[in-house]
Amino acid sequence: MALAANITLSIDGVNDKTTGIERASSAIAVNLSRGFVDGSGAGAASVFYSARRTLASGAAESLDLNGSALADIFGAPLALTKIKGLIIQAADANTTNLTIGNFTNGLATIIGAATQSLVLQPGELFAKVTGSAGGYAVTADTADLLRVANGSGNNASYDIIIIGA
């Protein structure tokens, strides 16, 4: 099985301003892209995981990226040693925030130290992608858990995509 993936961020926008009788306009059309071929070196990946997950009010989960709890679509357990891309999007319909990180044995390299975290408000998107050969290290038993916690009040859903080796 060979992996091929392309992550693209497309930005199209126009900013118009009118001052008095003059009008100024600025436009942007940018496509930022990172492609991956099968493998583990620079610009390469061999593992792809995606899911839509839901957490109950006040609940949390720790996704083991180098264990047997998570499996790809073919049923193979994730055994990542490096992450090349991580994309998480909180559902628009959520009414609570999701907190990513801040956990013992947490995946430290992608958001800083294991004790650091980031908060995703409803509809918010987080993406970190690298083409480097080393990627973001995943170390079995010491730095391989990605913690996602939901605030109190309602269930919350999120989409997650992981590309790695």
Side-chain angles (χ1 to χ4, degrees):
M1 168 177 70
L3 181 140
N6 192 44
I7 297 172
T8 303
L9 173 64
S10 179
I11 304 168
D12 277 320
V14 176
N15 187 9
D16 287 327
K17 300 253 186 212
T18 302
T19 305
I21 60 173
E22 293 184 50
R23 179 176 170 206
S25 182
S26 173
I28 186 170
V30 176
N31 287 309
L32 307 171
S33 179
R34 168 64 56 203
F36 296 97
V37 296
D38 192 50
S40 62
S46 58
V47 177
F48 188 89
Y49 173 79
S50 66
R52 176 163 291 148
R53 302 180 70 87
T54 300
L55 292 170
S57 172
E61 63 182 351
S62 298
L63 306 177
D64 188 349
L65 305 181
N66 190 275
S68 59
L70 291 179
D72 67 15
I73 196 164
F74 303 105
L78 288 187
L80 292 164
T81 58
K82 50 191 155 188
I83 292 176
K84 301 298 189 91
L86 173 65
I87 300 152
I88 303 172
Q89 183 169 23
D92 288 337
N94 290 354
T95 58
T96 56
N97 293 340
L98 295 172
T99 301
I100 314 298
N102 194 14
F103 191 64
T104 303
N105 294 337
L107 181 65
T109 56
I110 206 149
I111 58 174
T115 56
Q116 291 180 318
S117 63
L118 60 97
V119 174
L120 294 181
Q121 298 173 11
E124 196 167 1
L125 170 74
F126 169 79
K128 195 153 186 185
V129 180
T130 182
S132 75
Y136 300 102
V138 177
T139 307
D141 300 324
T142 60
D144 62 347
L145 301 176
L146 180 62
R147 174 90 162 176
V148 181
N150 182 23
S152 294
N154 270 316
N155 292 351
S157 296
Y158 67 97
D159 293 337
I160 183 167
I161 298 169
I162 302 169
I163 297 172

